[in-house]
Amino acid sequence: MSDAAPEAAAGPLLDGDGSDGAADDYKTPPFLVAAVGASAGGLEAFSTLVRGIPADAPLALMLVQHMARDQHSLLPEILGKRSALTVIEGRADMPIEPGHVYIISAGTHMTAIDGRLRVLPRPLGSGTSQIDTMFRSLAHYYRDKAVGIVLSGGATDGTAGLREIKAAGGITIAQLPDEARIDSMPRAAIAAGVVDVVLPVEQIAAELVRLAQLPLFKGSDAAPSWQRADLEPPQAESDRELRAVMTLLRRAGGVDFSQYKRPTISRRVARRMALRRLENLGDYVNLLQQDPAEVENLCEDILIHVTSFFRDPQSFSALAESVFPSLIKQRDTEGGLRLWVPGCSTGEEVYSLAISLFEVLGEDLHSFPVQVFGTDVSERSINKARAGLYSEQIAADVGPERLRRFFTRVDDGYRITKLVRERCVFARQDVTRDPPFSRLDLILCRNMLIYLNQPTQLKVIGVLHYALKSNGLLMLGRAETTGASAELFSVVDKRFRIYQKKAGALLANIDFSSTAPNVVTPSLTRRPHLLTPPRAWDVQAEANRLLLDRFAPPGIVLDSEFQITRVRGRTSAFLELPSGDVSLDALKMVRESLHSALQSGLQEARASKAAVRKEGLDASDGRSATTIDITPFGDPEDPHYLVLFEAEPSTRPEPTVQSSADASKKRDEALEQLRRDLAGTREQLRAKLDDLAAANEELQSANEEILSSNEELQSTNEELDTAKEELQSTNEELSTLNEELHCRNEELTLANADLGNLLASVQIPIVMVTSDLRIRRFTPAAEKVLNLIPSDVGRPINHINPNISCPELDRLISNVIANGTAREQEVQDRDGRPYSLRIRPYKSVEDRIDGAVLALVDIPTLRDLISVAEETGEATMSSVPEPIVLLAANLEVLRANPAFYREFSGSAPDVEGKPIYQVQGGRWDNLELRRLIERVLPERENFENFSLECVVGDHEKRRYVLDARRVGAGKAKGAVILLLMRRELDRAQ
């Protein structure tokens, strides 16, 4: 699922809707838009196609055919006479309308963008196919509303474009190859697995008309509720059926598609229903229950396998210019680089990443450890990635220099070289469920998150964060960001979405064993904000500060533990530093007369989570009343408190002087008693408060010890969890490597069996030796001739006693290995039978000489074959009734047949060995004839029907027709000229 075509909005992790450049406000038209590509033999196919589409069909066609740059297209006139649709040549900025056929003009690239045609000149030497350009534009802007069709034509044009249309959710169709005049294009597309439907052209027209009537192409308003993302929640019945589809997929493929976005799933289901000619979702559920193949096809459709080599080349340039040099410089002294591409599809992006890194390493490549992991949930894609075999179409993406260095040409296309293949490890893995790799330097996860819902996106980001080293890098697609997990990463390159893991960021525990998406809530460790970064001067903020300082009452800000965090205004009348250790506890700093009111007020505010006001409190000077306002604010679970102090003049009346001495004495005694009682009460209250404070301190101390122990236990638990996760990751890597080794072992076993059967079937004595002249392998025919037995494998060849006479055999072999040139000489066995001994260097896959190959060819057998050939040629010449002469390179007569001597008299001694223009009195001495004969051998120019008049017998003039042909070996030295002479009368007859 790498670098796939965009789907719906992806939540906070994405910018826009993830459309990868498509216009956000563009809405696909409510009719079908299809592009049709063809080349040789396409006129007949085009005519049949447009003839079968009625004028009222809600569809528009774009026809793209190869033609010369300066050729005027006659297709509009030809097809206009055969179609009920309006056939016109495509022009720039022309609106796309139903009932129309738009034909590409010569020397241009035509595309469909935002409901209009774009026509641009085709650059000279452009290697981009016009058909693929049209298909790609349709896939990019019409996505699942696109239809691509490939008709008759040569080469492989259209295959790459169909792949992108299918990946975007569109429908792809190809003409039945047996019906096409030139079947290369449809066969290539079918072989690449990018074609949904294969039909004759007449049925393609009927299929287009049928598709045009489906809700899928008529717009969202015509679609059923389960396909519409704008209806939330969906209808109960359709939602139940869609969940049944995902349950079947999970049981069959082990992938939980409930973690994908609902619009993605519904569009892919609608596409498969259109192909299977079903309109009811319940009917499709029944089909899935009965047809396992359809379940597999739907699963592959949803996984969206589309990728290519060096997709978005600018991103790979950014990696090569800034990321790779930094990773190489910062790598561990003993370790190499570890890279991971989750959702790698068929492996192109993994190999592209490895190739880019190898190019940066240059000469240090062989001494620098590099390991690139590629994972995907599709076993089919992983198997293709492991094979490393790709079609010829990758040449346009890779370039000639990289093809030469990192690829090997094979019959079916190109294969990744062993150098790159050995550094890349592929395995099936579900990144949302299976343990990830660990200690990675770089993760390339492009355009995978856009298909997942928001909780799963968060979980995957957490998994990627865990897998990276402390300074590891993460690269996302152009339409993706870290979103809600931004505090886990710092931005390195915003344009190319490159992020670096923050060293201090901690992540909640990730459960790798659960298939349900766990919401990962990233959090940073709490640190006190010791320094506040300077901010720019703000007029409004400064004005607010001045107003508060002048008119606001003094106050303090307390945290949830009643510790003072900020003081505003003059608070000395209400607070004072306590004796002993310095403390910011407000209850220890408040003056004694206000202590009880502040303590009770804070407790009340904490319990009620509401403001509390305490009025009429005695101040320290006894002449004013104090009011305390307590207001909680901030997080309800971790609140702060604003405490304001207001001092007001006392309103208590002054005591009056009594006239009676007794009354005065009684009042004094009562007042003294009240003072004593009040003093006692205060002492008791202070003692209780001291006891309470001491108990609180003891409890706080015990609580701190418990918290400390709890933190230690939590730290130990986190270490155990980390060790467990590392073990899981290590086990996953071991399983991956074991699977890789198993696959390679199977390949090696198969190759060994093929080689054994090949050698057993060859009836020629062949012996393979290593660079130190030890026998590596030999054919059964070599056992008798060279006197070998199976146990001789591994022995030096000079330790055996062969049945051929070649005393310096080991020296000959050593010279071939040292010089890299083949040697051939004649030897005899003990019975005197001659053999041709041929020694050639043994070359490895890397074109390195690693031994030699000996082959013995039976010379008598060759001589017998040559003798038979000579006898056959002699018999043929004798039986031909026309005169024939064989000439050497110097035009000397080698042989003439009996018909020559009967026609022109003479004998072999008078003719053979002499130049043709001197025999029989210069009868054949013609300047033009001589010129033609001399050009036959060196320039390979045969000639026929050369007329020549010559005198025969008693001055009888006859006219002959001469034919000359080059006969024999590939080099002129071993070839001869066969000259055939016929009477001109015979030719006329």
Side-chain angles (χ1 to χ4, degrees):
M1 192 169 56
S2 173
D3 256 60
E7 290 288 347
L13 287 179
L14 304 181
D15 293 339
D17 66 347
S19 59
D20 199 19
D24 294 340
D25 56 351
Y26 175 66
K27 184 178 181 181
T28 53
F31 57 87
L32 184 147
V33 180
V36 187
S39 60
L43 176 58
E44 180 182 350
F46 280 154
S47 300
T48 305
L49 178 66
V50 299
R51 189 186 300 119
I53 300 177
D56 59 348
L59 60 88
L61 294 179
M62 271 77 73
L63 304 187
V64 182
Q65 185 181 31
H66 288 165
M67 60 184 70
R69 183 176 300 275
D70 55 352
Q71 176 185 351
H72 175 67
S73 176
L74 298 177
L75 274 179
E77 293 82 357
I78 297 173
L79 298 181
K81 298 177 182 178
R82 305 179 184 181
S83 174
L85 303 172
T86 302
V87 182
I88 54 177
E89 188 174 53
R91 300 295 182 188
D93 208 36
M94 182 179 289
I96 300 174
E97 300 175 349
H100 285 65
V101 178
Y102 303 92
I103 299 177
I104 190 172
S105 55
T108 65
H109 278 304
M110 185 172 74
T111 58
I113 301 174
D114 296 348
R116 309 186 78 86
L117 291 180
R118 298 289 186 270
V119 180
L120 298 174
R122 187 184 183 193
L124 290 172
S126 173
T128 305
S129 163
Q130 294 168 296
I131 299 175
D132 286 322
T133 300
M134 181 74 242
F135 285 171
R136 282 168 175 161
S137 72
L138 219 62
H140 191 63
Y141 286 91
Y142 288 83
R143 299 190 280 276
D144 56 323
K145 304 297 190 298
V147 176
I149 304 171
V150 167
L151 302 180
S152 173
T156 61
D157 290 351
T159 300
L162 288 185
R163 179 179 288 108
E164 295 204 17
I165 288 178
K166 184 172 182 178
I171 293 177
T172 57
I173 304 174
Q175 182 181 3
L176 186 67
D178 295 340
E179 179 199 65
R181 284 185 57 191
I182 306 296
D183 62 359
S184 298
M185 278 177 53
R187 285 194 186 277
I190 295 170
V194 298
V195 176
D196 294 315
V197 181
V198 180
L199 295 171
V201 178
E202 295 89 347
Q203 297 183 26
I204 291 178
E207 181 70 6
L208 283 177
V209 175
R210 184 188 72 84
L211 292 174
Q213 305 298 331
L214 295 177
L216 178 64
F217 297 101
K218 286 186 175 182
S220 60
D221 294 340
S225 61
W226 62 271
Q227 295 183 30
R228 298 177 59 179
D230 58 338
L231 296 181
E232 294 292 346
Q235 294 183 0
E237 182 178 357
S238 59
D239 187 50
R240 182 171 59 253
E241 292 170 342
L242 200 58
R243 287 200 304 269
V245 171
M246 289 186 283
T247 300
L248 291 171
L249 292 173
R250 184 171 61 252
R251 291 175 180 173
V255 181
D256 185 9
F257 287 108
S258 64
Q259 303 179 33
Y260 283 52
K261 294 177 190 164
R262 184 171 168 271
T264 301
I265 304 296
S266 61
R267 279 195 290 268
R268 296 295 167 152
V269 171
R271 177 182 181 276
R272 293 303 309 175
M273 289 175 60
L275 293 174
R276 298 306 298 264
R277 298 175 176 267
L278 296 175
E279 297 184 7
N280 184 273
L281 183 58
D283 295 338
Y284 187 65
V285 173
N286 294 334
L287 175 64
L288 291 174
Q289 293 172 342
Q290 300 170 8
D291 188 356
E294 179 61 24
V295 178
E296 182 178 358
N297 291 333
L298 177 59
C299 182
E300 291 297 317
D301 264 18
I302 298 176
L303 291 177
I304 313 173
H305 299 294
V306 59
T307 184
S308 63
F309 282 96
F310 299 98
R311 188 178 178 99
D312 190 5
Q314 293 180 342
S315 298
F316 284 95
S317 298
L319 290 174
E321 293 172 3
S322 59
V323 174
F324 290 152
S326 175
L327 292 178
I328 294 171
K329 184 178 180 180
Q330 298 176 6
R331 76 180 182 100
D332 298 337
T333 55
E334 298 180 356
L337 293 182
R338 291 162 58 85
L339 298 83
W340 181 26
V341 182
C344 69
S345 188
T346 49
E348 287 92 332
E349 195 166 41
V350 177
Y351 292 127
S352 300
L353 188 64
I355 289 172
S356 298
L357 178 57
F358 291 171
E359 290 174 339
V360 174
L361 289 173
E363 299 296 332
D364 299 331
L365 169 61
H366 296 283
S367 60
F368 195 98
V370 174
Q371 198 166 30
V372 186
F373 299 99
T375 61
D376 198 273
V377 295
S378 172
E379 188 71 33
R380 183 187 302 176
S381 297
I382 288 298
N383 289 335
K384 184 173 181 180
R386 286 197 184 107
L389 179 63
Y390 300 97
S391 67
E392 297 179 352
Q393 296 171 352
I394 68 170
D397 298 323
V398 176
E401 176 61 26
R402 283 170 171 163
L403 280 178
R404 181 192 63 79
R405 183 179 176 188
F406 300 106
F407 292 82
T408 303
R409 191 73 167 87
V410 294
D411 293 339
D412 298 331
Y414 295 95
R415 185 184 297 277
I416 295 290
T417 60
K418 186 179 180 182
L419 174 68
V420 181
R421 181 65 189 84
E422 287 181 341
R423 307 293 181 93
C424 300
V425 178
F426 295 94
R428 184 186 183 278
Q429 184 196 50
D430 188 344
V431 71
T432 66
R433 180 179 59 184
D434 299 327
F437 302 100
S438 61
R439 303 183 305 280
L440 296 169
D441 297 278
L442 173 66
I443 297 177
L444 195 67
C445 181
R446 300 198 300 167
N447 298 339
M448 182 184 76
L449 297 174
I450 57 178
Y451 300 101
L452 306 176
N453 57 32
Q454 182 178 349
T456 309
Q457 288 176 3
L458 292 173
K459 178 178 181 180
V460 171
I461 287 291
V463 170
L464 302 182
H465 177 273
Y466 162 78
L468 288 169
K469 288 182 177 179
S470 59
N471 59 346
L473 297 175
L474 169 66
M475 186 176 191
L476 300 178
R478 292 289 189 95
E480 299 167 332
T481 67
T482 54
S485 304
E487 59 264 40
L488 298 177
F489 299 90
S490 59
V491 179
V492 177
D493 191 325
K494 184 176 181 181
R495 178 186 176 190
F496 296 105
R497 301 294 193 267
I498 301 176
Y499 304 88
Q500 186 173 38
K501 179 179 179 179
K502 289 183 179 179
L506 298 180
L507 189 69
N509 186 40
I510 303 173
D511 184 8
F512 295 125
S513 63
S514 173
T515 59
N518 295 332
V519 179
V520 181
T521 304
S523 60
L524 294 173
T525 54
R526 285 190 177 181
R527 296 186 181 90
H529 297 281
L530 301 179
L531 294 176
T532 302
R535 292 180 294 181
W537 186 73
D538 191 330
V539 175
Q540 183 66 33
E542 184 66 14
N544 291 338
R545 186 186 66 79
L546 292 174
L547 289 172
L548 289 174
D549 289 344
R550 183 168 182 179
F551 298 106
I556 56 177
V557 177
L558 310 180
D559 63 11
S560 59
E561 302 299 328
F562 303 153
Q563 299 292 314
I564 300 175
T565 61
R566 183 176 292 274
V567 178
R568 179 171 294 280
R570 300 178 63 86
T571 60
S572 58
F574 314 101
L575 303 174
E576 63 180 359
L577 287 175
S579 61
D581 296 335
V582 177
S583 173
L584 293 179
D585 188 348
L587 297 178
K588 290 184 178 181
M589 294 185 64
V590 70
R591 291 190 178 276
E592 181 178 348
S593 59
L594 302 176
H595 182 278
S596 178
L598 178 61
Q599 183 180 38
S600 61
L602 288 174
Q603 297 294 344
E604 184 177 351
R606 171 183 285 177
S608 63
K609 295 183 173 58
V612 175
R613 183 179 179 89
K614 298 289 186 178
E615 298 178 335
L617 304 177
D618 288 339
S620 59
D621 57 3
R623 295 190 303 272
S624 62
T626 301
T627 300
I628 300 178
D629 282 317
I630 303 172
T631 305
F633 67 98
D635 185 2
E637 301 299 326
D638 188 17
H640 283 61
Y641 302 91
L642 175 62
V643 181
L644 300 177
F645 301 95
E646 295 183 30
E648 299 177 359
S650 177
T651 59
R652 289 177 296 179
E654 293 292 333
T656 58
V657 179
Q658 301 292 331
S659 58
S660 173
D662 294 337
S664 176
K665 184 178 180 180
K666 289 181 180 179
R667 282 198 306 271
D668 292 340
E669 292 178 354
L671 183 59
E672 185 65 25
Q673 181 64 35
L674 289 174
R675 286 176 178 174
R676 288 195 295 270
D677 293 343
L678 180 58
T681 303
R682 284 180 176 176
E683 289 296 329
Q684 293 178 4
L685 179 59
R686 181 174 295 278
K688 296 295 183 182
L689 290 177
D690 290 342
D691 293 342
L692 180 61
N696 285 337
E697 289 179 358
E698 292 178 0
L699 289 174
Q700 185 174 359
S701 176
N703 185 49
E704 290 175 355
E705 293 179 1
I706 293 173
L707 289 176
S708 177
S709 300
N710 184 52
E711 289 176 358
E712 292 178 1
L713 291 175
Q714 186 175 358
S715 176
T716 304
N717 186 47
E718 289 177 356
E719 291 177 0
L720 291 175
D721 288 341
T722 302
K724 176 186 176 183
E725 292 167 0
E726 290 180 356
L727 288 175
Q728 288 176 324
S729 298
T730 304
N731 185 55
E732 180 72 16
E733 292 184 25
L734 291 175
S735 300
T736 300
L737 292 175
N738 183 55
E739 185 178 358
E740 185 82 7
L741 291 174
H742 179 70
C743 293
R744 293 188 181 183
N745 188 45
E746 290 181 351
E747 294 175 2
L748 181 61
T749 302
L750 180 60
N752 196 30
D754 293 342
L755 180 60
N757 284 281
L758 176 63
L759 294 178
S761 62
V762 174
Q763 299 301 318
I764 299 176
I766 298 176
V767 179
M768 300 180 187
V769 298
T770 60
S771 56
D772 57 352
L773 305 188
R774 294 183 180 274
I775 298 174
R776 173 180 285 156
R777 193 186 295 266
F778 54 83
T779 62
E783 295 184 7
K784 180 179 180 181
V785 177
L786 297 176
N787 195 24
L788 296 172
I789 58 177
S791 61
D792 287 334
V793 175
R795 292 179 57 193
I797 196 168
N798 56 4
H799 286 188
I800 66 172
N801 185 21
N803 290 332
I804 61 172
S805 176
C806 187
E808 297 182 347
L809 179 60
D810 54 345
R811 184 181 61 81
L812 290 174
I813 299 174
S814 298
N815 289 339
V816 169
I817 296 174
N819 301 328
T821 57
R823 292 287 302 273
E824 182 175 356
Q825 73 176 45
E826 187 172 326
V827 297
Q828 294 182 347
D829 63 6
R830 295 177 181 176
D831 298 330
R833 187 178 183 87
Y835 289 89
S836 176
L837 174 62
R838 301 174 182 176
I839 307 175
R840 296 181 180 275
Y842 178 100
K843 294 185 178 181
S844 64
V845 178
E846 292 80 12
D847 202 28
R848 181 171 58 86
I849 297 177
D850 192 25
V853 180
L854 288 69
L856 291 170
V857 180
D858 192 352
I859 292 180
T861 302
L862 294 177
R863 291 176 177 172
D864 293 343
L865 293 174
I866 295 173
S867 177
V868 171
E870 290 178 349
E871 293 176 0
T872 302
E874 183 68 27
T876 302
M877 288 186 61
S878 300
S879 62
V880 174
E882 286 83 4
I884 297 177
V885 179
L886 293 180
L887 304 179
N890 58 2
L891 303 188
E892 290 183 356
V893 178
L894 297 176
R895 184 170 301 176
N897 69 340
F900 178 84
Y901 296 114
R902 288 195 301 268
E903 182 72 20
F904 303 108
S905 301
S907 61
D910 298 331
V911 176
E912 295 180 358
K914 297 179 180 180
I916 184 65
Y917 48 82
Q918 292 182 2
V919 301
Q920 297 181 338
R923 176 180 294 162
W924 311 106
D925 189 8
N926 180 278
L927 183 61
E928 180 65 19
L929 175 62
R930 186 171 178 176
R931 185 183 66 81
L932 291 174
I933 295 177
E934 287 176 347
R935 295 172 61 183
V936 170
L937 288 183
E939 301 181 19
R940 299 175 178 265
E941 292 189 5
N942 301 329
F943 66 85
E944 297 178 351
N945 300 331
F946 178 79
S947 180
L948 179 66
E949 186 180 79
C950 59
V951 179
V952 181
D954 298 333
H955 306 287
E956 178 185 355
K957 292 184 177 181
R958 296 179 185 176
R959 182 165 291 279
Y960 292 89
V961 176
L962 280 67
D963 299 338
R965 293 191 177 276
R966 183 178 185 277
V967 180
K971 299 181 180 179
K973 183 178 179 181
V976 297
I977 303 172
L978 186 147
L979 188 64
L980 175 65
M981 307 169 181
R982 294 171 291 147
R983 286 190 184 184
E984 191 169 357
L985 179 61
D986 296 338
R987 184 182 65 173
Q989 292 175 352

